[in-house]
């Protein structure tokens, strides 16, 4: 059975600690014997115990009788066994690189503890790998969690922050900072695992946005009932995209070009309007003059009640809590972000600053 690196490192730590404690107990027993039974001073008793355990070959500090020599033989055997055990564990740790692994695990733990407002990818299969590529292209901070050692090793090779653990367990989600994350993507191969992950994530952080992968229509409905904010079925989505590629190839190419990729010229971004920061709440789009000030185009507005206004006109009023869906170049979207004010949101991330 494969032991997780952290578990193996902790096991080695415990074994070395147990060996050191056992050696200390042997030293204490030897010192007490020579002091209390043989009647030596504490200094002589401790000295005799040390040279006996170290097997350096010095003579007896004071003459010993048969009983004292028998105890010394037992003390030597106990010392040799304990020291041999410690040397064996220490050698294994050095050869297997457990100490280096421990340093890496501590660095990884500190890095995970420093993450805030990040994304969590559960599962590093083909779907998870593609999500990680898109996140890296967007420049957002994220962490990968997977229970398969091969997948974790692959994520490490690609330079991602990764944790080896079961995403369905609360302990694993807490290790990757679920309480500080803003979004979780459940891309595990099993629909049941994705459902458990979403339920655990929503329990630990009710405000987190949970996106899940579903293989069947039944699983899609269950994940939605389980609290997933968005459920994606690769088969349904793939079929729709293939149909769109056949019927509207230019439209699909345009949409793909502004949604993903590192070499695109146009971007789409979301902006949450909060009254405490946005000076245009309560004004119409015509009065706000967002287009003339920044060059970015407001494609749609999502109201707080879920109503979507597509192609808003100049008379459309900006309301508190509205989400603006905008399109423009990176520079135009950065200007729009500055015009709208510093956006502080636990649900939506800020536009890229670079």
């Amino acid at each position: 059975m494969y032991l997780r690196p952290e578990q193996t490192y902790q096991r080695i730590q415990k074994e070395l600690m147990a060996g050191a404690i056992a050696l200390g107990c042997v030293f204490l027993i030897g010192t007490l014997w020579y002091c209390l039974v043989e009647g030596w001073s504490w200094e002589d008793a401790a000295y005799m115990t040390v040279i006996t355990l170290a097997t350096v070959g010095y003579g007896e500090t004071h003459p010993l009788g048969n009983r004292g020599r028998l105890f010394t033989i037992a003390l030597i055997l106990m010392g040799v066994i304990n020291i041999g055990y410690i040397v064996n564990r220490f050698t294994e740790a050095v050869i297997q690189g457990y100490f280096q692994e421990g340093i890496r695990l501590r660095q990884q733990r500190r890095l995970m503890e420093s993450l805030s407002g990040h994304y969590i990818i559960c599962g590093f299969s083909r779907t998870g790998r593609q999500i990680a590529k898109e996140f890296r292209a967007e420049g957002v901070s994220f962490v990968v969690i997977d229970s398969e050692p091969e997948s974790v090793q692959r994520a490490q090779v690609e330079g991602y922050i990764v944790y080896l653990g079961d995403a369905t367990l609360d302990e694993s989600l807490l290790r990757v900072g679920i309480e500080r994350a803003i979004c979780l993507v459940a891309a595990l191969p099993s629909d049941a695992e994705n459902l458990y992950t979403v339920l655990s994530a929503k329990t630990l952080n009710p405000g987190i946005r949970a996106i899940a992968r579903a293989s069947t229509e039944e699983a899609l409905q269950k994940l939605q009932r389980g609290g997933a904010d968005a459920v994606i079925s690769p088969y349904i989505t793939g079929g729709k995209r293939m149909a769109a590629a056949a019927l509207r190839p230019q439209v699909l190419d345009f949409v793909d070009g502004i949604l993903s990729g590192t070499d695109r010229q146009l971007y789409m971004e979301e902006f949450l309007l909060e009254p405490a920061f946005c000076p245009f709440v309560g004004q119409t789009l015509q009065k706000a003059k967002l287009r003339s000030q920044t060059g970015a185009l407001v494609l749609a507005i999502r109201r707080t009640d879920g109503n979507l206004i597509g192609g808003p006109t100049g008379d459309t009023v900006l309301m508190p809590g509205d989400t603006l869906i905008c399109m423009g170049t990176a520079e135009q979207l950065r200007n729009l972000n500055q015009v709208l004010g510093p956006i502080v949101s636990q649900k939506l991330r800020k536009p890229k600053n670079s």
Side-chain angles (χ1 to χ4, degrees), residues 29 105 126 130 150 199 202 212 215 234 247 250 270 288 347:
I29 292 172
L105 288 171
R126 289 177 295 179
Q130 185 60 41
E150 296 80 7
L199 290 172
K202 285 292 186 178
S215 300
L247 300 174
Q250 300 303 322
E270 300 175 342
K347 296 182 179 180

Side-chain angles (χ1 to χ4, degrees), residues 252-273:
L252 184 63
D253 289 344
F254 174 75
V255 173
D256 282 344
I258 61 177
L259 287 179
S260 63
T262 57
D263 56 348
R264 46 189 165 150
Q265 296 179 347
L266 292 177
Y267 297 81
M268 290 183 66
E269 195 54 90
E270 300 175 342
F271 297 86
L272 179 64
L273 302 186

Side-chain angles (χ1 to χ4, degrees), residues 89-319:
R89 297 290 85 195
F90 184 82
T91 303
E92 178 186 352
V94 172
I95 293 176
Q96 299 295 333
Y98 292 135
F99 291 130
Q100 295 89 330
E101 182 67 20
I103 294 173
R104 188 192 65 80
L105 288 171
R106 285 194 295 270
Q107 292 174 341
Q108 182 187 67
R109 190 179 298 114
R110 285 195 296 268
L111 185 58
M112 288 184 183
E113 290 174 354
S114 67
L115 289 175
S116 180
H118 59 289
Y119 293 67
I120 300 174
I121 303 176
C122 300
F124 199 66
S125 58
R126 289 177 295 179
T127 303
R129 289 195 292 271
Q130 185 60 41
I131 296 170
K133 289 180 181 178
E134 294 296 330
F135 281 0
R136 170 176 281 181
E138 289 289 337
V140 299
S141 60
F142 65 94
V143 59
V144 177
I145 178 172
D146 198 290
S147 60
E148 295 296 329
E150 296 80 7
S151 299
V152 170
Q153 186 176 12
R154 181 167 183 173
Q156 290 174 341
V157 170
E158 296 184 15
Y160 300 134
I161 303 174
V162 59
Y163 176 76
L164 177 60
D166 188 350
T168 63
L169 301 179
D170 291 355
E171 177 188 0
S172 299
L173 294 177
L174 289 171
R175 287 291 185 90
V176 296
I178 184 68
E179 68 279 7
R180 302 184 306 276
I182 60 173
C183 182
L184 177 140
V185 182
L188 298 167
S190 167
D191 291 332
E193 289 178 325
N194 288 327
L195 179 58
Y196 295 151
T197 302
V198 169
L199 290 172
S200 297
K202 285 292 186 178
T203 301
L204 297 172
N205 183 358
I208 196 171
R209 178 172 173 81
I211 302 172
R213 173 188 182 274
S215 300
T216 64
E217 187 173 350
E218 182 181 1
L220 187 148
Q221 296 173 355
K222 289 182 177 179
L223 283 163
Q224 288 176 336
R225 292 198 297 267
D229 297 281
V231 183
I232 308 298
S233 172
Y235 307 107
I236 297 175
T237 303
K240 290 180 178 180
R241 290 177 63 83
M242 292 178 70
L247 300 174
R248 306 173 188 88
Q250 300 303 322
V251 173
L252 184 63
D253 289 344
F254 174 75
V255 173
D256 282 344
I258 61 177
L259 287 179
S260 63
T262 57
D263 56 348
R264 46 189 165 150
Q265 296 179 347
L266 292 177
Y267 297 81
M268 290 183 66
E269 195 54 90
E270 300 175 342
F271 297 86
L272 179 64
L273 302 186
E274 297 191 11
F277 303 102
C278 181
F280 303 108
V281 171
Q283 299 182 12
T284 63
L285 276 175
Q286 183 178 10
K287 187 176 181 180
K289 299 180 179 179
L290 299 180
R291 174 73 171 174
S292 60
Q293 290 187 69
T294 66
L297 177 64
V298 180
L299 298 177
I301 299 177
R302 173 77 69 179
R303 299 295 193 190
T304 53
D305 59 0
N307 183 36
L308 181 66
I309 303 176
T313 64
D315 297 329
T316 303
V317 179
L318 300 176
M319 305 296 293

